[in-house]
Amino acid sequence: MASSEVKKKRKAVTRDVDSGPAIVSGDEPGFAQLDGTLAGSDDSEIGDNDDSIFDVGSTDESSEPVEDLSDDGGRDSVGSSDDGLSKGSIDQKAKIAQPVDIEVETTALSGEDPDDEEEDDRPNFRVQKDANGNDRYIYDEIDPDDNSELDELGPEENTIGNIPLSYYDHFPHIGYNINGKKIMRPAKGAALDALLDSMEIPKGWTGLTDPSTGKPLELNEEELNLLKKVQMNEIPEDGYDPYEPTVEYFTSKTEIMPLSAAPEPKRRFIPSKHEAKRVMKIVRAIREGRILPYKSPEEGGEDDADVQNYDIWANEKARPEHIMHVPAPKLPPPGFDESYHPPPEYLPDKGEKKAWEDADIEDREKEYLPTDHASLRKVPGYDNFVKEKFERCLDLYLAPRVRRSKLNIDPESLLPKLPSPEELRPFPTTCGIIYRGHKGRVRSLSVDPSGLWLASGGDDGTVRVWQLDTGRQIWSVSLSSDEAVNVVRWRPGKDAFILAVAVGDHVYLCVPPICDPDLEGASLEVLDAGWGYSSSTSTTKLPLTWTRPSNKLSDNGVHALISLGHTAKTVSFHRRGDYFVTVCPAPSTPSSSAIAIHTLSKHLTQYPFRRRLKGGGPPQTAHFHPSKPILFVANQRSIRAYDLSRQSLLKILQPGARWISSFDIHPTSSAISGSDNLIAGSYDRRLLWHDLDLSPRPYKTLRYHQKAIRAVKFHPSGQYPLFADASDDGTVQVFHGEVVADMMSNARIVPLKVLKGHKVVGDLGVLDIDWHPVEPWIVSAGGDGTCRLWR
Amino acid sequence: MAETGGPQTQVRLQLTTRDRKLALPESLGPILVPSSLRRYALSTLVNNLLGTEKPIPLEFLINGSYLRTSVDDYLTAYGFSAETTLAVEYVRALVPPTHVASFEHDDWVSSVDVLSSSPSNARGDDNGHERILSSCFDGYLRIWNSSSQVLATSPSPSDGGHTSSVTSSKFLSPTKLVSSGLDRTVRVWKYRADGAEASGKVAPQLELYGHRGSVNSIAVHGHSNRILSASADHSVGVWSTSKSHAPEAPGNLLPSASARGSKRRKLDQSVTVPQRGPLSLLEAHTEAVSEAIFDSKEPTVGYSASWDHTVRTWDLVTSALVDTRTTSNALLSLTQLPELHLLAAGSSGKDVKLIDPRDAATTVSAMTLRGHYNAVVSLAKDPESEYGLISGSHDGTCRVWDVRSKRGGKDGMVGESIYTIERESAKGKGRIMAGEGVKVFGVCWDKALGIVSASEDKRVQINRGSGIVSQRSQTAA
C-alpha cells in the first residue's frame, strides 16, 4: 500500500510539472517530455522500495547531501531536482528544489483527493435516526477498485508484461499504457547527448541500458560496493574476514626431553634381510625372463589375412508374407498346473491320477498330468517331444491350408423384427374344455354361428352337438354304422340352425332339436322350401335329387339327404348360407362330378366342372370367397379362383406344396387392403400365405410342424387377426396374421402359440380346427377321440 | 447371524388392525421385536398386549401379503432393510376349509344353493335345518339335508319337470324353489316338507317362457318375488313368481307351438302347469348373458355379466340400461361385494375381475384375482366377511380370496388366493388338463354349512367355511 502511494505521488509530481512548467521555471520546449521519462524510470525502480514519502521528506529536509544517495527518496529528489536545473552546485539546487517539489506534491494530492488526510481521522460512517428513533450507522460505499491489482499500475505504466523489449525494436513505441495508448520510445539523439554531456554523471550511472526496461541502468550503493570488491579480487561475500587470527590446535614448540629413555632398536638402522630376499627373487625372475615387462596389446592383431568374413544379412529386405502363410495359433498362456512345481491344490490326487491313466488318450481332458518336481533341474526330458514334432511337421506338410474369412454377422440382426406375442393378446393359450364321447377319431367339427354349440363328427358315424361352455353333449345322432362322418359344417347366418354332415356317399342336413321353437321352425322352412322345386321347374334331367331321410332319422332332427354317390371330404358354405360346395377327392370319382354346388333353397345340385383341373391330380377342397362371387378350388398342387358370375378362371396360385390339404381365405382382407389373402396347408408340412395380388407364389412359407398339416383356418370375425393350423404331430399352432390397409406393406405374420394336448393316435394328431365366431377361442378335433376348446 | 447367539436383529413393527375389538391402544407406537419371530410368536405378543383372556389366533398382513415365514425371512424375501418400520396389519386367523362331506349324484351337478338356518338369511327358515338344493344335468332338482339324504326330487319331464339339463336353481323361500334349464324355461316349484324329516315333495308351480336360448343362471329376490334370469339369447329376463302378476306366455315359444312333432313333445303331460311370460326382457348384450344378479341393497337394480365382455347395470323398474363396463374377456359369472361397492366377475381369461359399477369409478377393473388355470364360472361371497370371496372354476378347484391380500401388478392390483379347495374325487391326481371330469360348475357359501360346490364329478362337496376369511370389522360395536 505504501509503495503504491509513493507511486501515485511521484506520478502526480510529474504530471503537475507537465501542466505547470512555470513553477519549475522551464526553459526548453522538450523539457516536460524529458522530465516525464525520467520520472517514469524512477517509478519503475521505486516500485521495489518500501520507503514512504514521509521518510523521503524527512531525509531531504534534514539537508543531507544529495550525493549520499542513502535511499531512493534521495535519488528521486535528485531526479526531480534535476528537472529544473541546467548547471550549478547540486547541493544548492537540491535545497532549493526540495521545497518546491513538496509543494507540488501537496497540490497534486489536493487535486486528486483533497479529503484524503482528513478522512482518515473522521469516522467512516454517518449517524442517522431510523424509523424507531434509534441510531443508524450509514457507511459510505466502498469503492471496490481500491484494492484491485489493476489499479496499482499507473496510467503511464507499460502493460506489455514480462517480455523482452527487443520485440518493440521496430516500432516507435515500447508498449502500451493502461489506457491502451502507445508509450513512445524515450527520446535519443543529439538533444539528449547534449544534456548528458552538460550534466555531472550521477553516482551509479553506468551508461548501459537495462534490457528489460529500455531505460538507463543505474546501480545502487550495494551493487557498486559489490563491483568494487570484485574488481579488487576480494571475496565479494559480506562479512568475510581474510585476516582472521590463527588458532593453534597443535603446539609448535619442540619438546627437549624425550618421552622414553630407551635406546633406538637395531632394526632402525640395519637393512632388512627379508626384503632383500624378496627383491632378489624378483630380480632373478626378471633376469631369467620369467617376468616380462608389460606391453600394451596391439589392435587388429588377431585379424587373419586369409579369412574373409561376409555379412550375408547386410542387404536383406523384409519379404511380404506368403498368401498361404497361416500364423500359428496363439496358445493360451500356461497355467499353474503346467508348472514344474505346481501349488499343491493343482496336483491330482490318487483317484484323479488313476482316472487319467485309465482314460483313453483321446478322452483325456488334459494331455499331461500336473507333476511336482523339487527343482527345474530334476524335470525329466519330455517323452513325446520327437513324436510331437514329427506330427506337427506332418500336419504342416499334409494339411491343405485354406484361409477362410469369417463373416462377422450378428445372427440377431438377420431376424426380422417381430413384436413379442405378449403384445398381440388375446389369442388362445390353454385348453379350456375337453369334449369326450366319440369312439374313434373325431374327423371334423364346427362351432355354430351363435358360438354356443359345437358340432363334431367322427369315425363312429355319429354327429354330436356339445354345449360349448360346459363340455356337455346335448344331442347326437348316429348316421352310419360303418362309415365315418367326414365333415360337419354349420350353415352360416343366425336366421337358421342347420348342420350339414357328410357321411360316406351322403350329405345330411340336420336341424338339431336344441334351439328354440321359432328358430327351429325357421330352419325347417329353409330346408323344406326346396321340396318339389326340382320336379316342378326343371325340364332337364337332374343329376341327382334330394330325398327325405327315414322317419327315425327325421325324428332325430335329420331332415334332408343328398346322395352324391361318392365320398365328399369337404363341405363349405357360401357366406349367405344358400349354397354349399362339396368336393369328392377320391381318384375314382369322375372328374365331372367331383365338385358339386348345392342350392339349399331349390334342393338343386350342380356340377360346375366338366373336366378335371389341369395338373395336380383330383380336386381336394373348395371354398367360396367370403364376400365376392368367387369360388376357390384346390387340387393337389394349385389353387384356382373362378369368377362365378362370368364363369371364367381368374387366377391360378402355385403354392409350391406337393399336396394341399386345406386352405382358407382371409375374411376381411379384400375389404381392408383390396387384395385377397389366403392360407394353404399342405401334407408336406408347409403352411403357405398367399397374397393374391402379389404373386402366384406364396408370400410366406411357414414350416413349423413335424408332420402333415390337416387344416388351416382364419378367425372368421375379422376382429382378431388370428389364424391357426392343425397338424398330425398333435399340435395346433396359432399365428398372428394382420393384413394392413397400407398397400405398400405386406401382411405381418407372427407365430404366437403352439397348443399341445392332443395325443397322436395312429399317426393322426389334430384333424380339424374351427374358430369361435366371436371370441379368440379355437376348437380342435383330435385323432384321440376328443375335441378341445382352447382359450 | 441371529442364531449364533449374538444380539438378535430387531425390527420395528407398527401394528394396526381394522377390527375395532382387537385394536391396540393408540398410544402404542412402533414396537421392537426380534426378527426371528413367526406368526405364532407375533400372535402371542399381540394377545399379551391386548390382555385377552382367551388368546385369539391372529394372522399378520405385511404389505398386502400374509406372513407365512419368520419376519426375518420376509425381510430377506422382499429386500427390506431391518431398520425400516414395517406396517403390519393383523386380522383374526383363518382356518383352512377342510372337507366335510360329498353328496353323490347321478349326473353332473350344475349348481347348488343352500337354505340356511341362520337368522341372518333374508329368506328365513322354519325348522332350523339347512337344506341344500342341487340342480343336475340330468334335469332333476334335489333337496338334501346336511346329512346327505335326498329329501325331495323334482318330477320327471313327463310330470312337469325340466326337459333338459337344469342350469341353475335357487331357494326363493323355504317353500319355493326356482330353477332354470337348458330347455329355455324358468320354473317355479313348491317344496313341501312332509311331516317326517326325511322326505318332502317338489311340485311344479309355474313355468316361465320367454327366452330363446338356454337360461344360464337365475337370481331371486325373495321379498319382491322377482327373478332375474340370464340367457344365451343375449337377454336378461325379469320375472315374477306370482301367477297373477306375470303376463301371458308368448305362444310361439311354448313347446306346443312347434309344428313338427318330436320325441320330447310326444311325452304326454300328465300335469298341466300354468305358463307365464316375462315381466320384461332386457336386451342390450351382444352375446350370451352368463349371470344376472340383484343388487343386494337395492332390489330394483340388477347387474348382468355377458360373453360380450361387459358388465351392465340395469334399472329393473324401467328396464333401462344404466351403465356398461367393458373388460377384456368373456365374463362367465358375477357376484357382488356390497360393502366394498364392487362387483366380482369371473372371466374366461382365468381370472376374477373386481369392477366398481358406480359412475364415479374411473377404471373399469379395480383389481384382478389371479390363480385359476381355467375359466371362472361361479362366484359367491363370504357371508361372514365383507372381503371374502369364493370362486369355482373349470380347472376343478374352488379358491378363497381375501381382497385385502393384494399387490401391485403391471396392470393394476392383483390378488392371490388364500386357499384352494380341490375336489375330493381328484385328490392327489395333480393338475388335470382342462379340469376334465372335475370342472366346478357352481359354488355357494353358507354361513352355517360352509362352502358348497357342485361339479362335473357328480358330487356336491361341502367344505368348512366359517372363519376362513377374517371377520368384518366391527364398526357397529
Side-chain angles (χ1 to χ4, degrees), chain B residues 272-336:
Chain B
T272 49
V273 182
Q275 295 166 335
R276 290 291 181 269
L279 292 175
S280 65
L281 284 177
L282 313 175
E283 282 171 349
H285 283 292
T286 56
E287 286 290 314
V289 188
S290 49
E291 188 152 5
I293 56 167
F294 285 102
D295 188 295
S296 60
K297 289 173 182 161
E298 185 56 63
T300 59
V301 174
Y303 304 103
S304 64
S306 158
W307 286 29
D308 65 2
H309 305 190
T310 61
V311 170
R312 292 178 202 251
T313 310
W314 304 91
D315 182 8
L316 299 179
V317 179
T318 58
S319 306
L321 175 65
V322 176
D323 188 41
T324 303
R325 301 273 153 164
T326 308
T327 65
S328 55
N329 288 98
L331 302 177
L332 305 176
S333 54
L334 187 69
T335 195
Q336 193 188 20

Side-chain angles (χ1 to χ4, degrees), chain A residues 432 436 469 472 518 775 791, chain B residues 107 212 252 309 374-375 436:
Chain A
R436 204 180 285 274
D469 57 336
R472 177 79 177 183
D518 262 4
E775 294 290 332
R791 60 187 173 191
Chain B
D107 206 341
R212 293 163 180 275
N252 57 339
H309 305 190
N374 211 336
E436 197 189 2

